[in-house]
Amino acid sequence: MYSDKVMEHFMNPRNVGVIKDADGIGEVGNAQCGDIMRIFIKVKNNIIVDTKFMIFGCGSAVASSSMATEIIKGKTLEDAWKITNKTVADSLDGLPTIKMHCSVLAEEVIHAAINDYRVKQGMEPWISSLDSEMV
Ligand code: FES
């Protein structure tokens, strides 16, 4: 049911923890399953130089967060913003259909952290295409 990569990131998640002096913090939750994801980013010269995450969630959400932090580290804010849940799920060699929403949380939390950073810098938040899908 789960790929080896999902299992590996679940058993050995990367970048778990808190960045105390984070430049941006994102937190999102899924009301239906109750899972909550929080991500911290450190930004230098428009590049995400460090990131960590905390989670209260399922194994797929742990693996998605872990993979998301691995993907965005070293990326510009623009490139990190373009990461979709499909990118995260594909990087994990797929997720079961009923677990795809776990990777959506990862996309949302990246956007939330980037926009937190932008607002703290006095910039307008970017509009996420996911916003229109939320109710
Ligand atoms: Fe909801 Fe995984 S079951 S995030």
Side-chain angles (χ1 to χ4, degrees):
M1 182 179 183
Y2 290 108
S3 72
D4 290 347
K5 255 193 196 169
V6 171
M7 291 309 293
E8 207 275 311
H9 275 264
F10 170 58
M11 301 298 282
N12 183 27
R14 326 296 198 266
N15 308 307
V16 174
V18 172
I19 298 178
K20 287 217 169 83
D21 58 344
D23 297 312
I25 301 172
E27 182 174 302
V28 297
N30 181 297
Q32 265 158 19
C33 63
D35 289 4
I36 299 171
M37 220 179 251
R38 184 181 297 166
I39 196 168
F40 305 82
I41 57 171
K42 198 83 193 139
V43 180
K44 222 176 235 165
N45 299 326
N46 201 46
I47 290 172
I48 298 175
V49 291
D50 196 14
T51 177
K52 294 208 181 296
F53 78 93
M54 302 281 284
I55 189 156
F56 180 85
C58 72
S60 298
V62 172
S64 295
S65 316
S66 170
M67 182 54 83
T69 55
E70 287 286 274
I71 294 172
I72 65 171
K73 208 188 277 188
K75 285 213 166 18
T76 63
L77 293 174
E78 287 79 4
D79 285 347
W81 181 268
K82 290 181 204 148
I83 303 301
T84 65
N85 77 300
K86 192 173 173 336
T87 315
V88 174
D90 287 351
S91 301
L92 289 167
D93 294 338
L95 284 170
T97 309
I98 57 160
K99 289 291 182 177
M100 279 305 282
H101 78 273
C102 315
S103 62
V104 173
L105 271 190
E107 180 179 343
E108 286 174 358
V109 84
I110 293 169
H111 287 175
I114 291 174
N115 272 340
D116 182 55
Y117 168 78
R118 286 182 59 82
V119 169
K120 281 177 177 158
Q121 299 298 312
M123 296 182 278
E124 289 286 316
W126 285 329
I127 308 285
S128 171
S129 61
L130 290 171
D131 292 346
S132 57
E133 293 163 23
M134 286 185 219
V135 267

Short mmCIF file of all heavy atoms in Angstrom, two decimals, residues 55-114:
data_model
loop_
_atom_site.label_atom_id
_atom_site.label_comp_id
_atom_site.label_asym_id
_atom_site.label_seq_id
_atom_site.Cartn_x
_atom_site.Cartn_y
_atom_site.Cartn_z
N ILE A 55 4.78 18.02 13.46
CA ILE A 55 3.51 17.51 12.95
C ILE A 55 2.75 16.73 14.00
O ILE A 55 3.35 16.08 14.87
CB ILE A 55 3.74 16.63 11.71
CG1 ILE A 55 2.43 16.29 11.04
CG2 ILE A 55 4.49 15.36 12.06
CD1 ILE A 55 2.56 15.97 9.60
N PHE A 56 1.44 16.85 13.92
CA PHE A 56 0.55 15.96 14.64
C PHE A 56 -0.26 15.32 13.54
O PHE A 56 -1.19 15.93 13.01
CB PHE A 56 -0.34 16.76 15.61
CG PHE A 56 -1.27 15.90 16.39
CD1 PHE A 56 -0.86 15.31 17.57
CD2 PHE A 56 -2.57 15.70 15.95
CE1 PHE A 56 -1.74 14.50 18.29
CE2 PHE A 56 -3.44 14.89 16.67
CZ PHE A 56 -3.03 14.30 17.84
N GLY A 57 0.14 14.14 13.12
CA GLY A 57 -0.56 13.61 11.97
C GLY A 57 -0.22 12.16 11.64
O GLY A 57 0.55 11.52 12.35
N CYS A 58 -0.76 11.73 10.54
CA CYS A 58 -0.62 10.34 10.11
C CYS A 58 0.75 10.09 9.46
O CYS A 58 1.51 11.03 9.20
CB CYS A 58 -1.72 10.01 9.11
SG CYS A 58 -1.44 10.81 7.52
N GLY A 59 1.03 8.85 9.16
CA GLY A 59 2.31 8.49 8.55
C GLY A 59 2.55 9.15 7.21
O GLY A 59 3.66 9.59 6.91
N SER A 60 1.50 9.27 6.39
CA SER A 60 1.65 9.91 5.09
C SER A 60 1.93 11.40 5.25
O SER A 60 2.68 11.99 4.46
CB SER A 60 0.37 9.76 4.26
OG SER A 60 0.13 8.42 4.02
N ALA A 61 1.35 12.01 6.26
CA ALA A 61 1.60 13.43 6.51
C ALA A 61 3.03 13.62 7.01
O ALA A 61 3.70 14.60 6.63
CB ALA A 61 0.60 13.97 7.53
N VAL A 62 3.52 12.70 7.83
CA VAL A 62 4.91 12.77 8.30
C VAL A 62 5.84 12.66 7.10
O VAL A 62 6.75 13.47 6.92
CB VAL A 62 5.21 11.64 9.31
CG1 VAL A 62 6.71 11.60 9.64
CG2 VAL A 62 4.39 11.82 10.58
N ALA A 63 5.60 11.67 6.25
CA ALA A 63 6.46 11.46 5.08
C ALA A 63 6.36 12.64 4.12
O ALA A 63 7.38 13.08 3.57
CB ALA A 63 6.05 10.17 4.37
N SER A 64 5.15 13.19 3.94
CA SER A 64 4.98 14.34 3.04
C SER A 64 5.72 15.56 3.56
O SER A 64 6.37 16.29 2.80
CB SER A 64 3.49 14.69 2.88
OG SER A 64 2.81 13.65 2.24
N SER A 65 5.64 15.81 4.87
CA SER A 65 6.33 16.97 5.45
C SER A 65 7.83 16.80 5.32
O SER A 65 8.55 17.74 4.98
CB SER A 65 6.02 17.12 6.94
OG SER A 65 4.70 16.94 7.21
N SER A 66 8.30 15.59 5.63
CA SER A 66 9.72 15.31 5.55
C SER A 66 10.23 15.54 4.14
O SER A 66 11.22 16.24 3.91
CB SER A 66 9.96 13.85 5.98
OG SER A 66 11.27 13.46 5.72
N MET A 67 9.51 15.00 3.15
CA MET A 67 9.92 15.17 1.76
C MET A 67 9.83 16.62 1.34
O MET A 67 10.71 17.15 0.65
CB MET A 67 9.04 14.29 0.85
CG MET A 67 9.39 14.35 -0.61
SD MET A 67 11.15 13.99 -0.96
CE MET A 67 11.15 12.19 -0.99
N ALA A 68 8.76 17.32 1.78
CA ALA A 68 8.60 18.73 1.41
C ALA A 68 9.78 19.56 1.90
O ALA A 68 10.30 20.41 1.16
CB ALA A 68 7.29 19.27 1.99
N THR A 69 10.24 19.31 3.11
CA THR A 69 11.38 20.09 3.62
C THR A 69 12.64 19.78 2.82
O THR A 69 13.43 20.68 2.54
CB THR A 69 11.65 19.82 5.12
OG1 THR A 69 11.82 18.42 5.34
CG2 THR A 69 10.54 20.35 6.00
N GLU A 70 12.79 18.51 2.43
CA GLU A 70 13.96 18.16 1.62
C GLU A 70 13.91 18.87 0.26
O GLU A 70 14.94 19.28 -0.26
CB GLU A 70 14.00 16.64 1.40
CG GLU A 70 14.40 15.86 2.63
CD GLU A 70 15.88 15.98 2.93
OE1 GLU A 70 16.67 15.21 2.38
OE2 GLU A 70 16.23 16.87 3.73
N ILE A 71 12.71 18.98 -0.30
CA ILE A 71 12.57 19.58 -1.63
C ILE A 71 12.81 21.09 -1.60
O ILE A 71 13.45 21.64 -2.49
CB ILE A 71 11.16 19.29 -2.22
CG1 ILE A 71 10.98 17.79 -2.49
CG2 ILE A 71 10.94 20.07 -3.51
CD1 ILE A 71 9.57 17.40 -2.89
N ILE A 72 12.29 21.77 -0.58
CA ILE A 72 12.36 23.25 -0.62
C ILE A 72 13.70 23.79 -0.13
O ILE A 72 14.04 24.92 -0.43
CB ILE A 72 11.20 23.92 0.16
CG1 ILE A 72 11.29 23.63 1.66
CG2 ILE A 72 9.86 23.55 -0.42
CD1 ILE A 72 10.30 24.46 2.50
N LYS A 73 14.45 22.98 0.59
CA LYS A 73 15.73 23.48 1.11
C LYS A 73 16.66 23.80 -0.05
O LYS A 73 16.90 22.96 -0.93
CB LYS A 73 16.38 22.43 2.02
CG LYS A 73 17.28 23.08 3.07
CD LYS A 73 18.06 22.08 3.86
CE LYS A 73 17.25 21.50 5.00
NZ LYS A 73 18.07 20.64 5.88
N GLY A 74 17.17 25.05 -0.07
CA GLY A 74 18.08 25.49 -1.12
C GLY A 74 17.37 26.11 -2.32
O GLY A 74 18.02 26.58 -3.24
N LYS A 75 16.03 26.11 -2.28
CA LYS A 75 15.28 26.68 -3.40
C LYS A 75 14.97 28.16 -3.15
O LYS A 75 14.89 28.61 -2.00
CB LYS A 75 13.95 25.94 -3.58
CG LYS A 75 14.10 24.57 -4.19
CD LYS A 75 12.90 24.23 -5.04
CE LYS A 75 13.10 23.04 -5.95
NZ LYS A 75 14.15 22.10 -5.72
N THR A 76 14.81 28.92 -4.24
CA THR A 76 14.32 30.29 -4.10
C THR A 76 12.87 30.22 -3.62
O THR A 76 12.19 29.18 -3.78
CB THR A 76 14.34 31.05 -5.44
OG1 THR A 76 13.44 30.37 -6.35
CG2 THR A 76 15.75 31.08 -6.03
N LEU A 77 12.38 31.33 -3.09
CA LEU A 77 10.98 31.36 -2.64
C LEU A 77 10.04 31.11 -3.82
O LEU A 77 9.03 30.42 -3.67
CB LEU A 77 10.67 32.71 -1.99
CG LEU A 77 11.41 32.96 -0.67
CD1 LEU A 77 11.15 34.38 -0.17
CD2 LEU A 77 11.01 31.95 0.39
N GLU A 78 10.38 31.64 -4.98
CA GLU A 78 9.53 31.45 -6.16
C GLU A 78 9.46 29.97 -6.54
O GLU A 78 8.38 29.45 -6.84
CB GLU A 78 10.07 32.26 -7.36
CG GLU A 78 9.87 33.76 -7.26
CD GLU A 78 10.89 34.45 -6.34
OE1 GLU A 78 11.81 33.77 -5.82
OE2 GLU A 78 10.76 35.66 -6.14
N ASP A 79 10.61 29.29 -6.54
CA ASP A 79 10.61 27.88 -6.90
C ASP A 79 9.93 27.02 -5.83
O ASP A 79 9.22 26.06 -6.15
CB ASP A 79 12.05 27.39 -7.13
CG ASP A 79 12.60 27.88 -8.46
OD1 ASP A 79 11.81 28.37 -9.30
OD2 ASP A 79 13.83 27.81 -8.66
N ALA A 80 10.13 27.36 -4.57
CA ALA A 80 9.48 26.61 -3.49
C ALA A 80 7.96 26.78 -3.57
O ALA A 80 7.21 25.84 -3.32
CB ALA A 80 10.00 27.08 -2.13
N TRP A 81 7.53 27.99 -3.96
CA TRP A 81 6.08 28.25 -4.07
C TRP A 81 5.44 27.34 -5.11
O TRP A 81 4.29 26.94 -4.99
CB TRP A 81 5.86 29.73 -4.44
CG TRP A 81 4.41 30.09 -4.54
CD1 TRP A 81 3.61 30.06 -5.64
CD2 TRP A 81 3.56 30.51 -3.44
NE1 TRP A 81 2.33 30.44 -5.32
CE2 TRP A 81 2.28 30.73 -3.99
CE3 TRP A 81 3.78 30.74 -2.08
CZ2 TRP A 81 1.20 31.16 -3.19
CZ3 TRP A 81 2.71 31.16 -1.31
CH2 TRP A 81 1.45 31.37 -1.85
N LYS A 82 6.21 27.00 -6.15
CA LYS A 82 5.66 26.19 -7.26
C LYS A 82 5.55 24.71 -6.92
O LYS A 82 5.01 23.92 -7.71
CB LYS A 82 6.54 26.36 -8.50
CG LYS A 82 6.43 27.74 -9.12
CD LYS A 82 7.31 27.82 -10.37
CE LYS A 82 7.70 29.25 -10.67
NZ LYS A 82 9.01 29.36 -11.30
N ILE A 83 6.10 24.29 -5.77
CA ILE A 83 6.01 22.88 -5.40
C ILE A 83 4.55 22.52 -5.14
O ILE A 83 3.88 23.18 -4.36
CB ILE A 83 6.83 22.60 -4.10
CG1 ILE A 83 8.28 23.02 -4.26
CG2 ILE A 83 6.71 21.14 -3.68
CD1 ILE A 83 9.03 22.35 -5.36
N THR A 84 4.09 21.49 -5.80
CA THR A 84 2.69 21.09 -5.61
C THR A 84 2.63 19.80 -4.80
O THR A 84 3.64 19.13 -4.59
CB THR A 84 2.01 20.82 -6.97
OG1 THR A 84 2.66 19.68 -7.56
CG2 THR A 84 2.10 22.01 -7.89
N ASN A 85 1.42 19.47 -4.39
CA ASN A 85 1.27 18.22 -3.65
C ASN A 85 1.65 17.03 -4.52
O ASN A 85 2.14 16.02 -4.03
CB ASN A 85 -0.17 18.07 -3.12
CG ASN A 85 -1.15 17.65 -4.18
OD1 ASN A 85 -1.34 18.35 -5.16
ND2 ASN A 85 -1.76 16.50 -3.99
N LYS A 86 1.47 17.20 -5.84
CA LYS A 86 1.84 16.11 -6.75
C LYS A 86 3.37 15.93 -6.76
O LYS A 86 3.86 14.81 -6.81
CB LYS A 86 1.31 16.43 -8.16
CG LYS A 86 1.38 15.26 -9.09
CD LYS A 86 0.71 15.57 -10.41
CE LYS A 86 0.88 14.48 -11.45
NZ LYS A 86 2.00 13.59 -11.35
N THR A 87 4.08 17.06 -6.71
CA THR A 87 5.55 16.98 -6.65
C THR A 87 5.95 16.17 -5.42
O THR A 87 6.83 15.30 -5.49
CB THR A 87 6.17 18.40 -6.51
OG1 THR A 87 5.55 19.29 -7.42
CG2 THR A 87 7.66 18.37 -6.72
N VAL A 88 5.33 16.48 -4.29
CA VAL A 88 5.66 15.81 -3.03
C VAL A 88 5.31 14.33 -3.12
O VAL A 88 6.12 13.45 -2.81
CB VAL A 88 4.92 16.47 -1.83
CG1 VAL A 88 5.16 15.70 -0.55
CG2 VAL A 88 5.36 17.93 -1.67
N ALA A 89 4.09 14.05 -3.60
CA ALA A 89 3.64 12.65 -3.68
C ALA A 89 4.51 11.86 -4.67
O ALA A 89 4.92 10.73 -4.39
CB ALA A 89 2.17 12.59 -4.09
N ASP A 90 4.82 12.48 -5.82
CA ASP A 90 5.66 11.79 -6.81
C ASP A 90 7.05 11.51 -6.25
O ASP A 90 7.65 10.46 -6.52
CB ASP A 90 5.79 12.62 -8.09
CG ASP A 90 4.51 12.62 -8.92
OD1 ASP A 90 3.60 11.85 -8.59
OD2 ASP A 90 4.42 13.41 -9.87
N SER A 91 7.57 12.47 -5.48
CA SER A 91 8.91 12.29 -4.89
C SER A 91 8.92 11.14 -3.88
O SER A 91 9.97 10.60 -3.56
CB SER A 91 9.37 13.58 -4.21
OG SER A 91 9.40 14.62 -5.13
N LEU A 92 7.73 10.82 -3.36
CA LEU A 92 7.61 9.70 -2.42
C LEU A 92 7.23 8.41 -3.16
O LEU A 92 6.83 7.43 -2.52
CB LEU A 92 6.53 10.02 -1.37
CG LEU A 92 6.90 11.09 -0.34
CD1 LEU A 92 5.66 11.53 0.44
CD2 LEU A 92 7.96 10.58 0.64
N ASP A 93 7.31 8.45 -4.50
CA ASP A 93 6.88 7.31 -5.33
C ASP A 93 5.41 7.00 -5.15
O ASP A 93 4.98 5.85 -5.22
CB ASP A 93 7.73 6.06 -5.03
CG ASP A 93 9.18 6.25 -5.45
OD1 ASP A 93 9.44 7.12 -6.31
OD2 ASP A 93 10.06 5.55 -4.90
N GLY A 94 4.64 8.07 -4.89
CA GLY A 94 3.19 7.94 -4.84
C GLY A 94 2.63 7.76 -3.45
O GLY A 94 3.34 7.34 -2.53
N LEU A 95 1.36 8.13 -3.33
CA LEU A 95 0.61 7.91 -2.08
C LEU A 95 -0.71 7.25 -2.45
O LEU A 95 -1.23 7.49 -3.55
CB LEU A 95 0.31 9.26 -1.40
CG LEU A 95 1.45 9.96 -0.67
CD1 LEU A 95 1.03 11.38 -0.28
CD2 LEU A 95 1.87 9.18 0.58
N PRO A 96 -1.28 6.46 -1.56
CA PRO A 96 -2.60 5.91 -1.85
C PRO A 96 -3.60 7.06 -2.06
O PRO A 96 -3.46 8.12 -1.44
CB PRO A 96 -2.95 5.13 -0.57
CG PRO A 96 -1.64 4.91 0.11
CD PRO A 96 -0.75 6.05 -0.27
N THR A 97 -4.58 6.85 -2.92
CA THR A 97 -5.54 7.92 -3.26
C THR A 97 -6.15 8.54 -2.02
O THR A 97 -6.26 9.77 -1.93
CB THR A 97 -6.67 7.33 -4.15
OG1 THR A 97 -6.04 6.63 -5.22
CG2 THR A 97 -7.53 8.43 -4.71
N ILE A 98 -6.52 7.74 -1.06
CA ILE A 98 -7.17 8.30 0.13
C ILE A 98 -6.20 9.08 1.01
O ILE A 98 -6.62 9.73 1.96
CB ILE A 98 -7.88 7.23 0.99
CG1 ILE A 98 -6.88 6.14 1.43
CG2 ILE A 98 -9.07 6.62 0.29
CD1 ILE A 98 -7.37 5.34 2.63
N LYS A 99 -4.91 9.02 0.67
CA LYS A 99 -3.91 9.75 1.45
C LYS A 99 -3.33 10.95 0.69
O LYS A 99 -2.40 11.60 1.16
CB LYS A 99 -2.76 8.80 1.85
CG LYS A 99 -3.17 7.78 2.89
CD LYS A 99 -3.41 8.47 4.21
CE LYS A 99 -3.77 7.49 5.31
NZ LYS A 99 -3.95 8.14 6.61
N MET A 100 -3.89 11.24 -0.49
CA MET A 100 -3.35 12.36 -1.26
C MET A 100 -3.54 13.69 -0.52
O MET A 100 -2.76 14.62 -0.67
CB MET A 100 -4.00 12.44 -2.65
CG MET A 100 -3.40 11.48 -3.66
SD MET A 100 -1.61 11.65 -3.87
CE MET A 100 -1.52 13.11 -4.92
N HIS A 101 -4.60 13.78 0.29
CA HIS A 101 -4.81 15.06 1.00
C HIS A 101 -3.67 15.36 1.98
O HIS A 101 -3.44 16.51 2.34
CB HIS A 101 -6.16 15.07 1.73
CG HIS A 101 -6.19 14.31 3.02
ND1 HIS A 101 -6.45 12.96 3.10
CD2 HIS A 101 -5.94 14.70 4.29
CE1 HIS A 101 -6.39 12.57 4.36
NE2 HIS A 101 -6.08 13.60 5.11
N CYS A 102 -2.95 14.33 2.41
CA CYS A 102 -1.81 14.54 3.31
C CYS A 102 -0.73 15.36 2.59
O CYS A 102 -0.11 16.24 3.20
CB CYS A 102 -1.24 13.22 3.79
SG CYS A 102 -2.47 12.02 4.31
N SER A 103 -0.55 15.08 1.29
CA SER A 103 0.45 15.84 0.53
C SER A 103 -0.06 17.24 0.22
O SER A 103 0.73 18.17 0.06
CB SER A 103 0.83 15.10 -0.76
OG SER A 103 -0.28 14.96 -1.61
N VAL A 104 -1.39 17.40 0.15
CA VAL A 104 -1.95 18.75 -0.05
C VAL A 104 -1.61 19.63 1.16
O VAL A 104 -1.28 20.81 1.02
CB VAL A 104 -3.49 18.68 -0.26
CG1 VAL A 104 -4.08 20.09 -0.30
CG2 VAL A 104 -3.81 17.95 -1.55
N LEU A 105 -1.65 19.03 2.34
CA LEU A 105 -1.27 19.79 3.54
C LEU A 105 0.16 20.31 3.41
O LEU A 105 0.46 21.43 3.82
CB LEU A 105 -1.35 18.90 4.79
CG LEU A 105 -2.65 18.80 5.56
CD1 LEU A 105 -2.42 18.06 6.87
CD2 LEU A 105 -3.27 20.15 5.83
N ALA A 106 1.04 19.49 2.84
CA ALA A 106 2.44 19.90 2.69
C ALA A 106 2.55 21.10 1.74
O ALA A 106 3.29 22.04 2.02
CB ALA A 106 3.28 18.73 2.17
N GLU A 107 1.79 21.07 0.64
CA GLU A 107 1.79 22.21 -0.28
C GLU A 107 1.26 23.45 0.42
O GLU A 107 1.83 24.54 0.33
CB GLU A 107 0.94 21.89 -1.52
CG GLU A 107 0.91 23.04 -2.51
CD GLU A 107 0.08 22.75 -3.77
OE1 GLU A 107 -0.21 21.58 -4.05
OE2 GLU A 107 -0.28 23.72 -4.47
N GLU A 108 0.17 23.27 1.16
CA GLU A 108 -0.44 24.42 1.85
C GLU A 108 0.51 25.02 2.89
O GLU A 108 0.58 26.24 3.06
CB GLU A 108 -1.73 23.98 2.57
CG GLU A 108 -2.89 23.73 1.65
CD GLU A 108 -4.08 23.14 2.38
OE1 GLU A 108 -3.98 22.90 3.61
OE2 GLU A 108 -5.10 22.92 1.74
N VAL A 109 1.21 24.15 3.60
CA VAL A 109 2.05 24.66 4.68
C VAL A 109 3.27 25.40 4.14
O VAL A 109 3.73 26.38 4.74
CB VAL A 109 2.43 23.51 5.67
CG1 VAL A 109 3.63 22.72 5.21
CG2 VAL A 109 2.64 24.07 7.07
N ILE A 110 3.78 24.97 2.98
CA ILE A 110 4.88 25.70 2.35
C ILE A 110 4.40 27.11 1.98
O ILE A 110 5.05 28.11 2.25
CB ILE A 110 5.39 24.95 1.08
CG1 ILE A 110 6.04 23.63 1.46
CG2 ILE A 110 6.38 25.83 0.30
CD1 ILE A 110 6.32 22.72 0.27
N HIS A 111 3.21 27.16 1.37
CA HIS A 111 2.65 28.46 0.98
C HIS A 111 2.45 29.35 2.21
O HIS A 111 2.75 30.55 2.18
CB HIS A 111 1.31 28.27 0.26
CG HIS A 111 1.47 27.74 -1.13
ND1 HIS A 111 0.41 27.38 -1.93
CD2 HIS A 111 2.59 27.49 -1.87
CE1 HIS A 111 0.84 26.96 -3.11
NE2 HIS A 111 2.16 27.01 -3.09
N ALA A 112 1.95 28.75 3.29
CA ALA A 112 1.69 29.52 4.51
C ALA A 112 2.99 30.11 5.07
O ALA A 112 3.03 31.26 5.49
CB ALA A 112 0.99 28.64 5.55
N ALA A 113 4.05 29.32 5.06
CA ALA A 113 5.34 29.79 5.60
C ALA A 113 5.92 30.89 4.72
O ALA A 113 6.44 31.90 5.22
CB ALA A 113 6.32 28.63 5.72
N ILE A 114 5.84 30.71 3.40
CA ILE A 114 6.37 31.73 2.49
C ILE A 114 5.58 33.04 2.65
O ILE A 114 6.16 34.13 2.71
CB ILE A 114 6.34 31.23 1.03
CG1 ILE A 114 7.37 30.11 0.84
CG2 ILE A 114 6.59 32.38 0.05
CD1 ILE A 114 7.34 29.43 -0.52
#
